[in-house]
Amino acid sequence: MTAARALAAWALGPGPAGAPPEVREAACRHLLDGLGTAVAAGRTRIAAPAVAVARGLGGPAEATVLGTGERGSAVAAALATGTLVHALDFDDTHAGGLVHATAVVLPAALAVGEEVGASGAEVLAAAVAGYETVCRVAAAVPHGFHTRGLHATMSCGVMSAAVVAARLLGLGADRTVDALGIAGSQAGGLLEFLSTGASTKQLHPGFASASGILAARLAAAGATGPDSVLEGPHGLYAALAGRTVDAGAVTSGLGKSWETTRITVKPYPACQLMHVTLDAVAEALRGHGVRASEVIEVVADVHPDSAAIVCEPAERKTRPRTPYDAKFSLPWSVAALLLDGEVTLGTYSPESIRRPEVADLAARVRTVVTPAGVSSTVAADAPGRVLLRLDGGRVIEGRVPGSAGGPDRPLRDSELDAKFTANAAGDPKDTAELARRVRGLADEPDLSTIAALADRLARPAPEEQ
């Protein structure tokens, strides 16, 4: 049986709805976190181009275009929501696949769920199916897509969105396989933004979510797709990752081991690959009262797969050209943490990234690439170590076993709620009510109240509209 057929059979069956309580709870936590990042992006208008285009696409009033008070086609709504969830780079990450799972699951679940009037329980089951799909498809080739210059979130996310849409639309197994086959022909997502600081990466989950819904609709209308879309000789892995993968690498343990519980909630609004270094710096500072002016040099151990993305080229990482550039600069972000004592959304504002004192300190951040083979972990799950060399000769070491927010160091509910509340930053009653309903998603009769609350919270201030 091909991987697509096995995924489709499981995704449409009782497995997702019958997932253990901790899996369903994890899915609700991630959906809540994703709505928070989407609301923050809508309020700050950072994804305004995608929202404007989604509004312009129009179509039947199937789903809410967050932050606009308007409805449009499910495809248009998913384009906007996917971009909003990911626009601040504050959304979750599955370390094994290095994918932003909620950024492709939530938009499809919300848009198609609204379209068909699905219950909260039905949406939650579809989301679990989507989470397992995107994490497993990506983790079968660790860092494989990124090595080829592709964003795995889009390359694999389109498959996940197709599964979510297929389940909510009530497609049969054969049509769902077709949807996966069609989705594969829409996979992509170039990482060339790393060379210029452009914001194209924000759009990738929106593309993936919208394309996955289109794939499911095309399959429902009779279009066909190859069931060998993943592991075939011209399939996703061979064509986009340059790897040979068998179906078992994707489906082994499906319904028994749950990747949904292994997704990291981000405490910093920046690339996941440097979180562990930021955590190590914070650990080194704890209890030492170090001033940034004392720091002569910072030496950070970095996984080789991380270095290529957040440390190189070194000469360009100390003076970011755009906020997105800064979010992918380990030296600059470490310097900002040393100077400010924290890394928040404000750290990456246009005004903040122009600060000469951060650039000057970033030039004193040196990275040491861990030799290949020393670490058996993937980049996003690697341990972190830094040395702070201070004037006077003192050296302080910071070590952490992995980044905060991951399965081994999860954020407490209170920390997740604090992050969501800060991102929502709207009427406290609306914020609390949205959090309550998403955590209790399985008991919601439909998505109307959740969508209305998220829409209201995501609207920019009147003077910014």
Side-chain angles (χ1 to χ4, degrees):
M1 182 182 291
T2 64
R5 288 201 177 278
L7 280 171
W10 178 81
L12 299 179
E22 63 270 21
V23 175
R24 288 181 278 122
E25 180 184 356
C28 289
R29 279 170 54 92
H30 289 293
L31 293 172
L32 178 64
D33 183 54
L35 276 173
T37 61
V39 164
R43 195 182 63 255
T44 58
R45 303 189 81 251
I46 194 169
V51 174
V53 168
R55 295 173 73 178
L57 290 175
E62 295 169 340
T64 304
V65 181
L66 295 183
T68 69
E70 300 174 8
R71 295 173 67 82
S73 71
V75 172
L79 172 66
T81 302
T83 306
L84 286 166
V85 173
H86 191 52
L88 294 166
D89 228 290
F90 209 0
D91 52 311
D92 58 29
T93 308
H94 180 264
L98 198 54
V99 284
H100 298 279
T102 296
V104 292
V105 170
L106 171 61
L110 189 61
V112 182
E114 275 198 275
E115 175 193 356
V116 302
S119 69
E122 291 167 337
V123 170
L124 180 55
V128 170
Y131 279 125
E132 291 298 310
T133 298
V134 68
C135 295
R136 286 169 167 276
V137 170
V141 286
H143 211 74
F145 296 99
H146 289 79
T147 299
R148 297 283 288 255
L150 292 168
H151 190 195
T153 297
M154 183 174 173
S155 298
C156 305
V158 67
M159 315 299 288
S160 175
V163 163
V164 171
R167 180 166 178 122
L168 289 171
L169 290 171
L171 302 191
D174 288 342
R175 295 288 75 78
T176 300
V177 171
D178 285 327
L180 285 165
I182 295 165
S185 283
Q186 300 178 84
L190 298 178
L191 293 179
E192 184 58 21
F193 74 92
L194 289 169
S195 300
T196 69
S199 61
T200 46
K201 182 172 178 282
Q202 298 177 345
L203 300 170
H204 292 167
F207 290 156
S209 302
S211 295
I213 296 171
L214 278 174
R217 289 185 172 186
L218 285 163
T224 61
D227 70 345
S228 54
V229 60
L230 292 173
E231 71 273 31
H234 305 292
L236 188 78
Y237 296 129
L240 301 189
R243 307 278 184 90
T244 299
V245 176
D246 63 33
V250 180
T251 61
S252 178
L254 187 60
K256 296 178 181 177
S257 61
W258 298 89
E259 296 303 317
T260 306
T261 64
R262 302 195 58 78
I263 301 170
T264 297
V265 175
K266 281 187 175 184
Y268 308 115
C271 179
Q272 179 70 48
L273 294 177
M274 62 189 181
H275 279 217
V276 72
T277 303
L278 296 174
D279 284 344
V281 171
E283 181 64 26
L285 294 175
R286 193 167 289 118
H288 288 284
V290 175
R291 298 187 305 274
S293 58
E294 299 177 79
V295 178
I296 296 173
E297 183 184 44
V298 180
V299 182
D301 290 351
V302 181
H303 191 287
D305 289 341
S306 299
I309 294 176
V310 297
C311 303
E312 301 169 3
E315 65 275 7
R316 204 166 61 212
K317 290 296 184 181
T318 57
R319 296 185 181 276
R321 296 154 293 182
T322 68
Y324 231 74
D325 227 5
K327 287 173 180 284
F328 282 79
S329 170
L330 182 149
W332 191 91
S333 298
V334 165
L337 175 58
L338 288 168
L339 282 162
D340 302 336
E342 60 182 358
V343 173
T344 67
L345 290 174
T347 300
Y348 300 103
S349 70
E351 297 76 23
S352 177
I353 68 167
R354 290 195 290 267
R355 291 182 291 167
E357 64 272 25
V358 185
D360 291 343
L361 182 53
R364 302 201 293 275
V365 177
R366 180 165 61 90
T367 57
V368 177
V369 177
T370 305
V374 170
S375 174
S376 60
T377 61
V378 294
D381 204 27
R385 176 178 178 268
V386 299
L387 296 176
L388 304 184
R389 302 189 187 279
L390 311 181
D391 57 10
R394 190 159 59 123
V395 178
I396 301 174
E397 182 184 50
R399 285 179 179 268
V400 291
S403 57
D408 299 323
R409 301 178 63 201
L411 297 189
R412 297 186 297 271
D413 281 349
S414 59
E415 293 173 313
L416 178 64
D417 287 342
K419 177 185 174 182
F420 173 76
T421 300
N423 279 335
D427 184 294
K429 291 182 179 179
D430 283 351
T431 301
E433 181 68 4
L434 179 57
R436 184 184 71 80
R437 287 182 177 272
V438 176
R439 285 194 179 279
L441 179 60
D443 298 322
E444 290 292 300
D446 55 45
L447 295 182
S448 57
T449 302
I450 287 175
L453 287 167
D455 173 49
R456 190 154 63 238
L457 288 166
R459 295 180 193 178
E463 64 271 16
E464 297 177 349
Q465 292 183 14

